Amino acid sequence: MTVRRDFKEPARCRPDLVIGRDELFTSAHEQLTRGGSVLLHGPAGIGKSTVLRALAADYGDAARTVLRCSATESESHLPFLALADLFGLVLDEVADKLPSAQRTALESALTGRGESTLQRDGLALRLAVLSALRALAATRPVLLVADDMQWLDSASAELLGFAARRLGDTPVQLLCAVRTEGQEYDRHLRASPPDTLAVRLNPLSPAQVSTLLDHRGYTDLPRSTVREIHRTSGGNPLFALELGRALGENPTPPRPGEPLPVPTSLRALVLSRLDMLSDEARRTLLVASAGARPTLALLHAAGRENAEAETAQAAALGLLATEPEGPAVRFAHPLISAALYAEAPAQERRAAHTALSTAASDPIERARHLALSTTGTDPEVAARLAEAAALARDRGAPSVAASLGLLAARHTPADGGPAPDERRLEAAEDAIIAGEVDLARDIAHEVLTRATAPAERVRAWMVVIEAAGQALGDVDAVYPQVLADAGDDPVLLAQVHYQLAWRGLVVQGDFAEAREQAAHAAELAARGGDRRNELMALALQASTETLMGHPDAPATIKRALKEPQDPYVACHHNGAGMARFRWLLMSDQLPEARSTITALLREARRRGMVESEVHFQRFLAETELRSGHCGRALDLARESLRLARDSGIGLGASAMLASLAEASGGEVGRALELAREATGRAEEDGDQMYLSRALAALGHAQSVAGDASGAVASLRRVRELEVGLGINDPARGRWQGDLAEALVRVGEPGEAQELIDVTRAHALRLGRESILAVLDRAEALVRAAQGDQEGALVRLTSVQDRFAKLGYGLEEARAAFAMARLRTRRPGPTSYDEAARLFRRCRALPWLRQVEAAAAEEPAAVSAAVPAPVPAFDALEGLASMERQVAALVMEGATNREIAARLFISVKTVEATLTRVYRKLGIRSRVDIVRLAAGRHAQ
């Protein structure tokens, strides 16, 4: 029974659409399912009402009596109003079940008739509410849903608190939401049943804000704008949606460097206390809102002589957050700063920027303020902005460089040199590096509407193609146009043929065509004296040859690494350094591959090259995975996937690698989800190159999950794709062993042997030692299936030793596991100790679970050989992310200096982190961590 029959849940409040609150929703729902109560709390606009309605809709089914009230500030002075909302429609149902005095008191409170009040007949009314709830609960459970409890009238609040504390085992639950800051929910919790779970709603992440905006129809906002919405809103869903709506209704987007337009609704919400400030204090706050990193010293330099007193006044009103340990002037919420700036007249804003253009110490900041204080074109201002953009680029801040470049273009006269569009295209190229692909694409299309010079048009087309990412099929129509614009200029043609090489790889899936186009591009660039594009083309040619297993690959890599080098190409994710890393990884040179990719990642981060950072972090995770460092690989892969989702770059590739990491060190179910996501993205983008990798990850996850038939289906498709692509190097995807082993499990040893023989020929030609070992492991299983148990065991022993020498820890453990399984088929004792030890060393949790399951199927004497679950893993789960990573590397035997280098932190930070790890794990030294890794309790 649901009392409020007129209540209809809006579609957006269904649990599956409570964006960014999955864990919170699950936790609250489980609490309700256990019979407990829930108190949702958090600041205004954080989404409490949305979650409350979703929980009520999901949990308050027809088997319950649902009583609802929703208070408002304007009605909070009316006594018993909430009580009337809750009990008004059920009074007739319970009236006859109440003693006369209680019934009279309750009727009087609900109807307003009679003389009984909480003061005059307080005990009878309190008991009436308690008795009414018990009477309703006697027939079916009762759920009280109360929103905005901070506005509950005091009389109703007191009565509900009295009843809640005395309900005991009566099946009455409370689902409430209250606006709070910090720990202010305590008093509401004390008025709730003893078993109430307090759940705080925290701000949304950038990715969640992006999803929320998309869901509400704000889908055309550039990624940089979405990030600014997140920053300004502080992750508050209501604020973010209001900002998105204001942008959608505003025909002219804000100028680069300007805050977002803040709608009147939010201005009123956050600036209600602004009228209490003096005029001078308000001007001081305006200067602070215009500054990037305002301090009292900056405000003084900008002419605000009484900054201390005026900021103290603002802090007392809650507009500023106090910073007792530093000079920073920080607004209590980013939206206050944005609203204050938006509220100020344009003349006052320009005056603030004028003051800051001389007061700021940083040349980039001074140039930005100069631009925002200037109207119209001004060649001197444009030149200063262009210099600031170059400085930002050198500092590794391409996003800032793009913003400054657009400001420079805005202030550049039409007949100036460089021309405005030249500066716009430079800003677009900075935006590409920063991962702002939407912004870059928009700039390029704008330039193309008026550009006539071939070089300018080709440059703009290159931005359009680069912005397409892996979805190169979406820009197929561009290539004929850009070829026509390039004419017979070798430099311009080199750029076009470089992109055609990528098209050959991604869209056509033709590695031979890609290699030919890349070689032609390198030749054209060399003829035109364009060293940067020559190096990029050579790097692509080298990578293609490596993946093809072409014999010229080492020579091409050597050519791509010859001096003179270009700093941009050297650390680009498609540069020569990357080509060399790929060769090292496929050639089983894991330590050198790790040091190479680590250096590339460090440099990409220093330069602010977001796209390269996404790819390099993924490749570092892959290197750690090959080395058997599954826990470290999982942390890196998850971090890479988060960065990919936030930036919109490399989503399919990052999901693919995260799937492999989850299958080896995390959750197999999650691995399957990610592999299917990666496959779907590759198919949607028409990306043939990554489709085979995604399907290989899916097949691997299916194999680990025990779905041999599914693995065979996925990996047979990979085989067909790679034959069509012309990929001959088995080290590229490393799926052949998984397919051969799955074929043995489904009863197809003949097909498995045929695959092994074909793959071995390529591996022998290319010297791929680890692939040969994988194939020998698979062939051992074929032999065992054909009855040659002894021959299989001899081969597996050799395989395990070879993997150990190559440094492939996880593969070594898989060989030990295969041996233990084969030995169970022979008479005599069997032990899974070695496999369990090796999997524990790798932190390969899914494989450890398989060992435990296999041991459980053996006789008791055998299963006793496998130790209980390792305390190390349970203990590490309680550590913070950085602590867990440091502890995992100690388990692998890394020194403090090695750990610092691999995690990009100082040795002192490693030492401090280890101190915290010792304290949390209750141990004393690195030796104790190693003992945990070995499965023994620390002594």
Side-chain angles (χ1 to χ4, degrees), residues 66 133 153 273 284 312 322 470 479 575 718 797 806 809 848 869 882 888 896 905:
V66 182
L133 289 172
D153 65 272
R273 288 159 288 186
T284 295
T322 56
Q470 297 296 114
Y479 296 100
V718 175
T797 301
L806 289 168
L848 261 177
M882 178 61 70
N896 286 4
I905 58 178

Side-chain angles (χ1 to χ4, degrees), residues 213 218 221 225 229 238-254 260-267 335 342:
L213 291 167
Y218 306 118
L221 298 174
T225 301
I229 288 175
L238 173 65
F239 297 173
L241 288 172
E242 286 295 296
L243 290 168
R245 182 181 61 78
L247 283 166
E249 294 173 354
N250 191 349
T252 55
L260 298 175
V262 180
T264 305
S265 58
L266 292 187
R267 295 187 201 182
L335 190 61

Side-chain angles (χ1 to χ4, degrees), residues 223 227 431-438 466-470 573 608-616 618 640-655 681 685:
R223 194 167 301 278
R227 282 208 302 270
I432 287 285
I433 295 172
E436 306 280 359
V437 291
D438 297 331
E466 288 280 356
Q470 297 296 114
H573 58 279
M609 300 171 70
V610 176
E611 184 172 7
S612 293
E613 181 183 352
V614 171
H615 292 300
F616 291 155
R618 185 178 77 251
S640 175
L641 183 59
R642 281 195 295 272
L643 183 59
R645 294 201 194 286
D646 287 347
S647 63
I649 295 169
L651 283 167
S654 294
R681 287 187 180 279
D685 291 342

Side-chain angles (χ1 to χ4, degrees), residues 899-917:
I899 294 170
R902 286 164 67 174
L903 298 182
F904 305 105
I905 58 178
S906 68
V907 174
K908 287 188 176 180
T909 301
V910 174
E911 293 168 350
T913 304
L914 275 175
T915 300
R916 293 195 299 272
V917 170

Side-chain angles (χ1 to χ4, degrees), residues 78-254:
L78 299 174
F80 306 121
L81 187 61
L83 198 68
D85 284 344
L86 290 169
F87 292 100
L89 295 178
V90 295
L91 181 60
D92 292 342
E93 183 180 339
V94 299
D96 293 343
K97 301 173 184 177
L98 302 180
S100 175
Q102 294 181 22
R103 181 173 63 250
T104 300
L106 185 58
E107 289 175 344
S108 177
L110 297 183
T111 63
R113 296 191 298 271
E115 299 180 355
S116 178
T117 66
L118 187 58
Q119 289 77 26
R120 296 184 57 182
D121 201 6
L123 182 58
L125 184 53
R126 290 182 178 91
L127 293 174
V129 171
L130 183 59
S131 298
L133 289 172
R134 286 173 173 162
L136 288 169
T139 56
R140 66 185 73 195
V142 175
L143 178 66
L144 272 68
V145 181
D147 199 3
D148 283 320
M149 284 189 68
Q150 72 277 3
W151 305 130
L152 218 64
D153 65 272
S154 58
S156 297
E158 200 281 336
L159 290 168
L160 288 176
F162 175 87
R165 292 189 296 272
R166 290 164 174 79
L167 284 168
D169 294 332
T170 306
V172 176
Q173 297 169 268
L174 271 66
L175 173 58
C176 307
V178 61
R179 181 187 302 179
T180 60
E181 295 290 348
Q183 301 298 314
E184 295 174 6
Y185 69 92
D186 283 352
R187 65 185 181 90
H188 298 284
L189 193 60
R190 287 194 293 271
S192 303
D195 60 350
T196 300
L197 173 69
V199 178
R200 179 171 179 79
L201 277 72
N202 292 314
L204 299 180
S205 69
Q208 291 164 347
V209 165
S210 177
T211 302
L212 177 67
L213 291 167
D214 287 344
H215 175 61
R216 296 300 177 89
Y218 306 118
T219 55
D220 297 327
L221 298 174
R223 194 167 301 278
S224 57
T225 301
V226 173
R227 282 208 302 270
E228 184 62 20
I229 288 175
H230 176 265
R231 188 197 67 78
T232 303
S233 68
N236 184 294
L238 173 65
F239 297 173
L241 288 172
E242 286 295 296
L243 290 168
R245 182 181 61 78
L247 283 166
E249 294 173 354
N250 191 349
T252 55

Side-chain angles (χ1 to χ4, degrees), residues 803-821:
F803 278 134
K805 290 175 183 176
L806 289 168
Y808 282 76
L810 182 59
E811 300 291 359
E812 178 190 359
R814 288 180 63 178
F817 188 26
M819 276 196 291
R821 279 177 157 168

Side-chain angles (χ1 to χ4, degrees), residues 6 39 44 139 245 247 252 257 461 470 474 480 538 617 673 731 765:
D6 60 334
L39 176 68
T139 56
R245 182 181 61 78
L247 283 166
T252 55
W461 284 126
Q470 297 296 114
D474 294 348
L538 284 171
Q617 184 147 310
E673 291 175 13
R765 176 175 60 85

